[in-house]
């Protein structure tokens, strides 16, 4: 059976659009991995609800840094900040990307995801 050209073009376009959507959102599995990493490495200070502790540990929920860009969060993790230790060596690029995408899309935050290879490029000396 011959499929009319316009119909097959529309079909292909819809598959392409669906895949672009899937790739630009962190997957459910990646968010779950990020949450587990957050609870294990960060929640002790920033709290599992992301609200931190007033005047001691800043809130990540609503933080300008967290909402700003994935690369900014990566730099905080790589370099450390004030009393916060560096996580370079403790977490690899895949773990950092999952963690960054989790905090950027947890609670009231929402932001574009960063990929593990983008984090790897920032980890290079
Ligand atoms: C030992 C406590 C501690 C742990 C563990 C910790 N942090 Fe922090 N974090 C801090 C402190 C303190 C600051 C503020 C440092 C400053 O500005 O002087 C901070 C700042 C930040 C900031 C910047 C926030 C802003 O709005 O300025 C981000 C992002 C962040 N932490 C993410 C994380 C993530 C993700 C983890 C887990 C991998 C983590 N932190 C683990 C203590 C901690």
């Amino acid at each position: 059976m011959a499929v009319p050209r316009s119909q097959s073009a529309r079909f292909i376009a819809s598959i392409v659009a669906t895949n672009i959507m899937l790739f630009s959102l962190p997957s459910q599995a990646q968010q779950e991995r990020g949450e587990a990493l957050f609870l294990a490495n960060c929640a002790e200070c920033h709290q599992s609800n992301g609200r931190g502790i007033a005047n001691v540990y800043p809130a990540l929920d609503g933080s300008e840094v967290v909402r700003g860009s994935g690369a900014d969060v990566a730099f905080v993790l790589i370099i450390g900040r004030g009393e916060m230790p560096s996580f370079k060596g403790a977490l690899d690029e895949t773990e950092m990307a999952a963690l960054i995408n989790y905090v950027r899309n947890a609670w009231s935050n929402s932001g574009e995801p960063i990929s593990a290879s983008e984090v790897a490029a920032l980890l290079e000396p």
Side-chain angles (χ1 to χ4, degrees):
M1 188 190 97
V3 178
R5 250 187 100 149
S6 65
Q7 197 180 327
S8 62
R10 254 204 316 275
F11 178 65
I12 290 167
S14 79
I15 289 185
V16 170
T18 308
N19 281 311
I20 289 171
M21 261 173 61
L22 289 176
F23 283 120
S24 64
L25 289 171
S27 71
Q28 174 82 12
Q30 204 197 28
Q31 277 300 85
E32 279 167 14
R33 177 133 197 253
E35 180 175 22
L37 288 164
F38 180 80
L39 294 175
N41 295 282
C42 326
E44 139 197 15
C45 296
H46 295 287
Q47 308 300 297
S48 56
N49 62 9
R51 299 217 186 111
I53 294 180
N55 305 318
V56 190
Y57 302 122
L60 302 186
D61 183 10
S63 151
E64 301 269 304
V65 175
V66 174
R67 289 182 173 186
S69 82
D72 288 345
V73 182
F75 281 125
V76 175
L77 294 182
I78 294 166
I79 297 162
R81 183 179 276 208
E83 307 228 328
M84 178 177 154
S86 158
F87 284 86
K88 187 172 178 172
L91 300 172
D92 66 22
E93 63 265 26
T94 310
E95 292 168 325
M96 283 193 190
L99 196 39
I100 294 165
N101 294 334
Y102 171 71
V103 296
R104 276 169 57 72
N105 290 284
W107 318 299
S108 66
N109 297 339
S110 98
E112 288 284 302
I114 191 168
S115 68
S117 53
E118 286 169 301
V119 174
L122 300 174
L123 272 167
E124 271 160 30

